[in-house]
Amino acid sequence: MILFIKGRLQSFKYAFRGLFLLLKTEHSIMAQTFVFSLTILLGFIVGISKQDWINQIIAMGLVMSIEGMNTAVEKLADFVHKENHPKIGFIKDISAGAVTFAALTFIVIFAITYLPYIINRT
């Protein structure tokens, strides 16, 4: 049981190191963190509902998670094949497309959440 707990703690150590590396080195993650911080601030300003907070947080987590996986795929592809290669480019494009799906999902949730506040304010 002690070995199990030690193993899980070691896993958390690696996970938080990965999170820190993403935040420190990846410009897309930095930009998304900035945008999501503004979105959180806006949520407090307009007083969104509990369900809106849940939807917003899930959407943000989705984008950041898929962006992290996209980064991992790109780094692995660059490691495996340093030169430009059509198949590597295809893989990277698909990975970036997954991020786009997540980002569009966030945009739709953002619009559904905040457009009523914007419309009612004018």
Side-chain angles (χ1 to χ4, degrees):
M1 184 63 160
I2 301 243
L3 288 176
F4 174 79
I5 292 170
K6 279 186 175 181
R8 298 304 54 90
L9 291 174
Q10 191 70 16
S11 295
F12 278 116
K13 176 182 158 189
Y14 294 135
F16 281 105
R17 188 171 86 197
L19 180 111
F20 177 74
L21 287 170
L22 281 169
L23 289 169
K24 182 180 173 186
T25 63
E26 295 304 313
H27 294 284
S28 57
I29 294 285
M30 291 176 203
Q32 290 161 354
T33 300
F34 177 73
V35 168
F36 293 159
S37 296
L38 293 177
T39 304
I40 290 167
L41 181 61
L42 182 60
F44 283 118
I45 290 169
V46 301
I48 62 175
S49 72
K50 183 177 181 180
Q51 186 61 53
D52 287 336
W53 278 113
I54 292 167
N55 297 342
Q56 182 172 286
I57 290 167
I58 289 172
M60 289 178 194
L62 174 70
V63 172
M64 297 294 262
S65 298
I66 301 298
E67 186 67 59
M69 293 307 298
N70 177 54
T71 299
V73 166
E74 287 182 355
K75 301 286 185 195
L76 181 60
D78 290 343
F79 178 76
V80 169
H81 205 288
K82 297 194 186 325
E83 306 84 37
N84 284 341
H85 189 280
K87 288 185 180 181
I88 294 293
F90 180 78
I91 291 165
K92 287 180 164 186
D93 289 347
I94 289 172
S95 187
V99 176
T100 305
F101 274 125
L104 291 173
T105 300
F106 173 79
I107 290 168
V108 168
I109 289 171
F110 181 89
I112 291 169
T113 302
Y114 291 101
L115 277 179
Y117 292 100
I118 294 167
I119 292 168
N120 290 334
R121 192 166 181 121
T122 56

